[in-house]
Amino acid sequence: MRPMDTPIRVTVWNENFHETSERDGAAMAERYPEGIHGAIAHGLRDRLGDGVVTTTATLDQPEHGLTDEVLASTDVLTWWGHVRHADVDDAVVAKVHEAVLGGMGLLVLHSGHFSKIFKRLMGTSCALAWRSRDDAELVWTVAPGHPIAEGVPHPIRIPQQEMYGEYFDIPEPDELVFVSSFTGGEVFRSGCTFRRGRGRVFYFSPGDQDFGVYHHPDIQRVLANAVRWAAPEQRSGRTAPGLVNMKVPDFTGARLSTEVGA
Amino acid sequence: MRPMDTPIRVTVWNENFHETSERDGAAMAERYPEGIHGAIAHGLRDRLGDGVVTTTATLDQPEHGLTDEVLASTDVLTWWGHVRHADVDDAVVAKVHEAVLGGMGLLVLHSGHFSKIFKRLMGTSCALAWRSRDDAELVWTVAPGHPIAEGVPHPIRIPQQEMYGEYFDIPEPDELVFVSSFTGGEVFRSGCTFRRGRGRVFYFSPGDQDFGVYHHPDIQRVLANAVRWAAPEQRSGRTAPGLVNMKVPDFTGARLSTEVGA
Amino acid sequence: MRPMDTPIRVTVWNENFHETSERDGAAMAERYPEGIHGAIAHGLRDRLGDGVVTTTATLDQPEHGLTDEVLASTDVLTWWGHVRHADVDDAVVAKVHEAVLGGMGLLVLHSGHFSKIFKRLMGTSCALAWRSRDDAELVWTVAPGHPIAEGVPHPIRIPQQEMYGEYFDIPEPDELVFVSSFTGGEVFRSGCTFRRGRGRVFYFSPGDQDFGVYHHPDIQRVLANAVRWAAPEQRSGRTAPGLVNMKVPDFTGARLSTEVGA
Amino acid sequence: MRPMDTPIRVTVWNENFHETSERDGAAMAERYPEGIHGAIAHGLRDRLGDGVVTTTATLDQPEHGLTDEVLASTDVLTWWGHVRHADVDDAVVAKVHEAVLGGMGLLVLHSGHFSKIFKRLMGTSCALAWRSRDDAELVWTVAPGHPIAEGVPHPIRIPQQEMYGEYFDIPEPDELVFVSSFTGGEVFRSGCTFRRGRGRVFYFSPGDQDFGVYHHPDIQRVLANAVRWAAPEQRSGRTAPGLVNMKVPDFTGARLSTEVGA
């Protein structure tokens, strides 16, 4: 397993649009002075201390801040996007996809459900139902033995939040950890794990640009748990699974091949 | 697959306590004149017509109405119990268990979550949270391609129902088909499939002695769909999986055994 | 569920390369006189009789034979490809993908694991290990209660077959139905189901251009079972899940919305 | 998550029959001088060093060595039994069951598939196919991103081992980590995870009294990984899930209840 004495290297990615837009900039500066990415990174450091090293990356940087070097030295990538999914370069998406299959952890957050990378990993439309009004959200744990649910109240109570509802068009999760309800009566599979290749993916829906959900201590706890869960044991030299031409069978006759000729 | 031209033989089991008790008898007679078992059987015949043959069985009958002959000629058993779980004979439970592993379908309904047969099949406590007040329930489909969800509105709306909430202590379902919400904000995995041995098990929570939920057309539809899903292809001579002593290997050298002497 | 009295409409797709190539044509004409697609279609009709209507489609046809009309009237599509995956038009792949999410069943066969449509639905590399020599394959049932395993011997014995081995880079299947072994000692998850959107997908590996596996009666049985399992209940007007803007909540106060104002 | 600086407390349980029987004692003393339990404990300490503290317990001890105190201070229990399953006291089984639902990890090894505790947790017969001759076993990883597979060769090669084959009558595992093949051509789901209540269960089949498999370095690695995976974050005060009477709803009107009086 992952050596316990080395910190997990997390790259927190944000499209960083609302923060820099004329329409939302002022409200965002008040709600998220360091941007959504800054708030997420801050929460992880608060919870994990020396157990984590965070950096951030945004859409407007060269290669969206996700160069080969960055990906190779990232143990867990978190992804937040909303209105600029289409502007993410397909070549970068392909590299992130390859990195996940090779073992890099990925946390897809809230409106990231419609990101290119999530849709590519899921193979479905990732569509859902939504309403942005005055709902409260309760996040219920349905897998209390899962490491991501450790120390999380049942339910988490979020006073104000955008509603995300079913049907959420994803493959059946490998593990369903959280299910949310909203005051309007909707439900949502809000915390889902998926293994893809050697990588671990966690989708978590609470967290919106219009509400300060990433400052919520329980939400921060979930994200910190998820970072630890998603971090690969292997810290370097990771590669995605590939085609293997197995010329020599393991059994020859009724014996192990290595014994043959011995 | 199951021959399409023979009806599915369903045995509808009910502990039949509320119907016959001094306290509840009068109200039940009004709500369920034929008993809960009668209402369930009626709904199945309404929906499936010639596709089903129903019989009923109750706790007070010899062997609770579940003799070897009955079990051998039952394709799908539905189970409703509430306050008399402890009075179900362990020997009968063992036979039902064996029948399920052999391929008989089983629908466990509402408070049947605490029945001996369900706890035995699940291996967990099957505990849950509950409140019997004035909640409404919405039943959301999270697996729209599943046969049990066919023709079911999204959501099913039940004006009055007992609240069942998480954490529901069951193994992760093979397929999660429905998730419910209640006006109080709780959620519940209300429709779950489990394969055990050769048998298919479906747990469905809506349906209570205090509310006439089994007359609800959408609930009847779910039960009818579930009966068809759970019915085994094999109509007779079913046996549970057993220990097999395989004396002869299939491969000998690098060839199939049957070719060896050829 | 699907009306029992209407046949399932299956479209059998084949890249049809080996059959028409200079190198393989003569051998294929002997092994598969009607092509691989012809053999698959033949086997389905043999097994399902009036329960199925088959048509075939190939790469060289306009739109690869998969026009909007064909897809709209196809209940289950089977896919065989090997060396010409790259020549399949992305626009056709997108339409097939949409049709699957809308409910069309899909059977992906053997080397189809590397087809564009399968990789898109899986979200992984779909890479595997392989060896084309003189292995025999045994196909073991690990889900004896699954409809696809109905009437299938344990194991199926295939005297000669290309080896496909783990690691097979797919998401964890919703249901693992078959696991194969080969004389060389390799294992392979050879029969896997996946629900995607409203559609059901089955991957089945036995079946190769170099061996006459599609004439094998047990393989034909599996494919027939899978067609019946994958066929959607809804025969027309299917649509993929989409984004839903839910303006009106279902609960208002503690009551169902429709009751408000009543 | 589990504090990183406290060792995992493992109790290694063994029925200790072959070691003490007249028939097998001499051979066992040579093969396993400290008993199977001693070998397993030794391997864990070798691999995990300060990360683990091991104790052993055996059938012949009072309460089989599994008193309330022992269970309360055990993070992971490993279970090896073969011919004396029936002699395990039902009261002890009930306590172990309760402890697992409360969060204690459990590793069930080899012939432990037929132990009372495993059958109770699975809810199925746990029957399988077997042959004790001269097979070699290959253990293939089918979930390369799973922590239990970390650092494990693909395949693990075991020169001599009892054959365990399908059909193995267990519920579909939450995660299938390893699949084995044998020279005779059989396959077996040899490494399976199951979450039950708050606890994590891992079944692993390699390991037999007639072969020195627990000295195999790769097998030791798997067991060490599994101990770390199964260890609960919560070290004390664990309780199994129970029935919860939720009198007060979380939502009242469209607001969180706690806001109501505010």
Side-chain angles (χ1 to χ4, degrees):
Chain A
M1 296 200 167
R2 191 173 52 77
M4 286 177 163
D5 49 0
T6 56
I8 300 169
R9 300 161 298 176
V10 180
T11 299
V12 179
W13 193 89
N14 184 9
E15 66 174 29
N16 201 30
F17 169 78
H18 294 293
E19 290 87 342
T20 57
S21 78
E22 205 168 330
R23 191 191 67 179
D24 304 331
M28 289 297 282
E30 198 159 324
R31 194 176 302 119
Y32 288 120
E34 303 171 278
I36 287 177
H37 47 302
I40 291 171
H42 191 92
L44 292 177
R45 290 193 305 270
D46 260 15
R47 297 280 154 178
L48 296 176
D50 289 348
V52 73
V53 171
T54 64
T55 55
T56 61
T58 53
L59 182 70
D60 55 308
Q61 295 176 317
E63 300 183 53
H64 311 324
L66 300 172
T67 61
D68 290 347
E69 292 70 31
V70 167
L71 290 175
S73 59
T74 295
D75 295 317
V76 179
L77 176 67
T78 76
W79 194 275
W80 202 98
H82 181 210
V83 296
R84 296 198 57 195
H85 294 314
D87 297 329
V88 177
D89 188 341
D90 288 339
V92 172
V93 173
K95 282 183 185 180
V96 173
H97 185 245
E98 184 85 359
V100 170
L101 297 185
M104 184 182 74
L106 178 69
L107 272 53
V108 176
L109 305 176
H110 192 60
S111 43
H113 73 93
F114 258 166
S115 63
K116 287 181 177 178
I117 182 62
F118 191 59
K119 290 199 288 185
R120 179 154 181 178
L121 282 161
M122 295 296 104
T124 53
S125 73
C126 301
L128 45 69
W130 65 282
R131 176 179 61 242
S132 201
R133 294 220 316 200
D134 54 359
D135 283 273
E137 177 175 1
L138 299 175
V139 186
W140 300 88
T141 296
V142 298
H146 198 284
I148 295 181
E150 171 63 19
V152 173
H154 182 70
I156 300 173
R157 307 161 69 88
I158 308 175
Q160 233 191 341
Q161 170 67 305
E162 183 178 15
M163 186 280 286
Y164 272 16
E166 297 287 343
Y167 174 63
F168 183 22
D169 184 25
I170 50 171
E172 177 122 13
D174 289 339
E175 301 160 306
L176 181 62
V177 183
F178 301 114
V179 173
S180 290
S181 67
F182 296 83
T183 25
E186 293 83 5
V187 300
F188 194 66
R189 290 170 292 170
S190 49
C192 304
T193 77
F194 306 91
R195 281 190 282 110
R196 292 295 182 269
R198 305 187 204 283
R200 300 168 200 151
V201 178
F202 181 60
Y203 175 78
F204 190 58
S205 60
D208 189 80
Q209 75 281 356
D210 290 339
F211 309 104
V213 176
Y214 291 116
H215 301 308
H216 193 303
D218 300 330
I219 301 304
Q220 292 181 343
R221 177 70 186 251
V222 170
L223 296 182
N225 286 346
V227 158
R228 289 194 58 198
W229 171 82
E233 281 73 23
Q234 202 178 333
R235 309 307 294 273
S236 62
R238 301 185 296 244
T239 53
L243 193 66
V244 177
N245 186 341
M246 298 182 80
K247 297 213 168 133
V248 182
D250 279 273
F251 290 148
T252 305
R255 307 171 65 196
L256 284 175
S257 296
T258 51
E259 301 173 317
V260 176
Chain B
M1 296 200 166
R2 190 173 54 77
M4 286 178 163
D5 48 2
T6 57
I8 300 168
R9 300 161 298 177
V10 180
T11 299
V12 178
W13 194 89
N14 184 11
E15 66 174 28
N16 201 29
F17 170 77
H18 295 293
E19 290 86 342
T20 57
S21 79
E22 204 168 330
R23 191 191 66 178
D24 305 330
M28 288 297 282
E30 198 159 325
R31 195 176 302 121
Y32 289 120
E34 303 171 279
I36 287 177
H37 48 300
I40 291 171
H42 191 93
L44 292 177
R45 290 193 304 271
D46 260 14
R47 298 279 154 176
L48 296 175
D50 289 348
V52 74
V53 171
T54 64
T55 56
T56 62
T58 53
L59 182 69
D60 55 308
Q61 296 176 317
E63 301 184 52
H64 311 324
L66 299 172
T67 60
D68 289 347
E69 293 69 31
V70 167
L71 290 175
S73 60
T74 295
D75 296 317
V76 180
L77 176 67
T78 75
W79 195 276
W80 201 100
H82 182 209
V83 296
R84 295 196 59 195
H85 294 315
D87 297 328
V88 177
D89 188 341
D90 288 339
V92 172
V93 173
K95 282 183 186 181
V96 173
H97 185 246
E98 185 85 358
V100 170
L101 297 185
M104 183 182 74
L106 179 69
L107 272 53
V108 176
L109 304 177
H110 191 60
S111 43
H113 72 93
F114 259 165
S115 62
K116 287 181 178 178
I117 181 61
F118 192 59
K119 289 200 287 186
R120 178 154 181 177
L121 281 162
M122 296 295 104
T124 52
S125 73
C126 301
L128 46 68
W130 65 283
R131 176 180 59 242
S132 202
R133 294 219 317 202
D134 54 358
D135 284 272
E137 177 176 0
L138 300 175
V139 185
W140 301 89
T141 296
V142 298
H146 198 284
I148 296 181
E150 171 62 19
V152 173
H154 182 71
I156 300 172
R157 306 161 69 88
I158 307 175
Q160 232 190 341
Q161 169 69 305
E162 183 180 17
M163 186 282 289
Y164 271 17
E166 297 288 342
Y167 174 64
F168 184 21
D169 184 26
I170 50 171
E172 176 123 12
D174 289 340
E175 301 160 306
L176 181 62
V177 183
F178 300 115
V179 174
S180 289
S181 66
F182 297 84
T183 25
E186 293 82 6
V187 300
F188 194 66
R189 289 170 293 170
S190 49
C192 303
T193 77
F194 306 90
R195 281 190 281 111
R196 291 296 182 269
R198 304 188 206 282
R200 299 167 201 153
V201 179
F202 181 61
Y203 174 78
F204 189 58
S205 60
D208 190 80
Q209 75 282 357
D210 289 339
F211 309 104
V213 175
Y214 291 115
H215 301 308
H216 193 304
D218 299 330
I219 300 304
Q220 292 181 342
R221 177 70 186 252
V222 169
L223 296 182
N225 287 346
V227 159
R228 290 194 57 199
W229 171 83
E233 281 74 23
Q234 202 177 332
R235 308 308 293 274
S236 63
R238 300 185 296 245
T239 53
L243 194 65
V244 178
N245 186 342
M246 297 182 82
K247 296 213 169 135
V248 181
D250 280 274
F251 290 147
T252 305
R255 307 171 65 195
L256 284 174
S257 297
T258 50
E259 302 172 317
V260 172
Chain C
M1 297 202 168
R2 191 172 53 77
M4 286 178 164
D5 49 1
T6 57
I8 300 168
R9 300 161 298 177
V10 180
T11 299
V12 178
W13 193 88
N14 183 11
E15 65 175 27
N16 202 29
F17 169 78
H18 295 293
E19 290 87 343
T20 57
S21 78
E22 205 169 330
R23 192 192 66 179
D24 304 330
M28 290 296 282
E30 198 159 324
R31 194 177 302 119
Y32 288 121
E34 303 171 279
I36 287 177
H37 46 301
I40 291 171
H42 191 91
L44 292 176
R45 290 193 306 270
D46 260 15
R47 298 278 155 177
L48 297 175
D50 288 348
V52 73
V53 171
T54 63
T55 55
T56 60
T58 52
L59 181 70
D60 55 307
Q61 295 176 316
E63 300 184 51
H64 311 325
L66 300 172
T67 61
D68 289 348
E69 293 69 33
V70 168
L71 290 175
S73 59
T74 296
D75 296 318
V76 179
L77 176 66
T78 74
W79 195 275
W80 202 99
H82 180 209
V83 295
R84 295 198 57 194
H85 294 315
D87 297 327
V88 177
D89 188 341
D90 287 339
V92 172
V93 173
K95 282 183 184 179
V96 173
H97 185 246
E98 185 85 359
V100 170
L101 297 185
M104 183 183 74
L106 178 69
L107 273 53
V108 177
L109 305 176
H110 191 59
S111 44
H113 73 92
F114 259 166
S115 63
K116 286 182 177 179
I117 182 62
F118 191 59
K119 290 199 287 185
R120 178 153 181 178
L121 282 162
M122 295 296 104
T124 52
S125 73
C126 301
L128 46 68
W130 65 282
R131 176 181 59 242
S132 202
R133 295 217 318 200
D134 53 358
D135 283 274
E137 176 176 0
L138 300 175
V139 185
W140 300 88
T141 297
V142 297
H146 198 285
I148 295 181
E150 172 61 19
V152 172
H154 182 69
I156 301 173
R157 307 162 69 89
I158 308 175
Q160 232 191 338
Q161 169 67 306
E162 182 179 17
M163 186 280 289
Y164 273 16
E166 297 286 344
Y167 175 62
F168 183 23
D169 184 26
I170 50 170
E172 177 124 11
D174 289 340
E175 301 160 306
L176 181 63
V177 184
F178 301 114
V179 173
S180 289
S181 66
F182 296 83
T183 22
E186 293 82 5
V187 299
F188 194 66
R189 290 170 291 170
S190 50
C192 303
T193 77
F194 306 90
R195 282 191 282 109
R196 291 296 182 268
R198 305 188 205 283
R200 300 167 201 152
V201 178
F202 181 61
Y203 175 77
F204 190 57
S205 60
D208 190 79
Q209 74 282 356
D210 290 339
F211 309 104
V213 175
Y214 291 115
H215 301 307
H216 192 303
D218 300 329
I219 300 304
Q220 292 181 343
R221 177 69 184 253
V222 170
L223 296 182
N225 286 347
V227 158
R228 290 194 57 197
W229 171 83
E233 281 74 22
Q234 203 178 331
R235 309 307 293 272
S236 62
R238 301 186 296 244
T239 54
L243 193 65
V244 177
N245 186 342
M246 299 183 80
K247 297 214 167 135
V248 182
D250 280 272
F251 291 149
T252 305
R255 307 171 64 196
L256 283 174
S257 297
T258 50
E259 302 173 318
V260 176
Chain D
M1 296 202 169
R2 190 173 53 78
M4 286 178 166
D5 48 2
T6 56
I8 300 168
R9 299 162 300 176
V10 180
T11 300
V12 179
W13 194 89
N14 183 11
E15 66 175 27
N16 201 29
F17 169 78
H18 295 293
E19 291 87 342
T20 57
S21 79
E22 205 169 331
R23 190 192 65 179
D24 305 329
M28 288 297 282
E30 197 159 325
R31 195 177 302 120
Y32 289 119
E34 304 171 279
I36 287 178
H37 47 302
I40 291 171
H42 191 91
L44 292 177
R45 290 193 305 271
D46 260 15
R47 298 279 155 177
L48 296 176
D50 289 347
V52 73
V53 172
T54 64
T55 55
T56 62
T58 53
L59 182 69
D60 55 308
Q61 296 176 316
E63 300 183 53
H64 312 323
L66 300 173
T67 61
D68 289 347
E69 293 69 32
V70 167
L71 289 174
S73 60
T74 296
D75 297 316
V76 180
L77 176 67
T78 75
W79 194 276
W80 201 99
H82 182 209
V83 295
R84 295 197 58 194
H85 294 315
D87 298 327
V88 177
D89 188 340
D90 287 340
V92 172
V93 173
K95 282 184 185 179
V96 173
H97 186 246
E98 185 85 359
V100 170
L101 297 185
M104 184 182 73
L106 179 69
L107 271 53
V108 177
L109 305 176
H110 191 60
S111 43
H113 73 93
F114 258 165
S115 63
K116 287 181 177 178
I117 181 61
F118 191 59
K119 289 199 287 185
R120 178 153 181 178
L121 282 162
M122 296 295 104
T124 51
S125 73
C126 302
L128 45 69
W130 66 284
R131 177 181 58 241
S132 202
R133 295 219 317 200
D134 53 358
D135 284 272
E137 177 177 0
L138 299 175
V139 185
W140 301 88
T141 296
V142 297
H146 198 284
I148 296 181
E150 172 62 19
V152 173
H154 181 70
I156 301 173
R157 306 161 71 88
I158 307 176
Q160 230 190 341
Q161 169 69 305
E162 182 179 16
M163 187 281 288
Y164 271 17
E166 297 287 344
Y167 173 64
F168 183 23
D169 184 25
I170 50 170
E172 176 125 11
D174 289 340
E175 300 160 307
L176 181 62
V177 183
F178 301 115
V179 173
S180 289
S181 67
F182 296 83
T183 23
E186 293 82 6
V187 300
F188 193 66
R189 289 170 292 169
S190 50
C192 303
T193 78
F194 306 90
R195 282 190 281 109
R196 291 297 182 268
R198 303 188 207 283
R200 299 167 201 152
V201 179
F202 181 61
Y203 175 77
F204 189 57
S205 60
D208 190 79
Q209 75 281 356
D210 289 340
F211 308 104
V213 175
Y214 291 116
H215 301 308
H216 193 303
D218 299 330
I219 300 305
Q220 293 182 342
R221 176 69 184 252
V222 169
L223 295 182
N225 287 347
V227 159
R228 290 194 57 198
W229 171 83
E233 281 73 24
Q234 203 177 331
R235 308 307 293 274
S236 62
R238 300 185 297 244
T239 54
L243 194 65
V244 178
N245 186 341
M246 298 183 80
K247 297 213 167 134
V248 182
D250 281 272
F251 290 148
T252 305
R255 307 171 63 196
L256 284 174
S257 297
T258 51
E259 301 173 319
V260 172

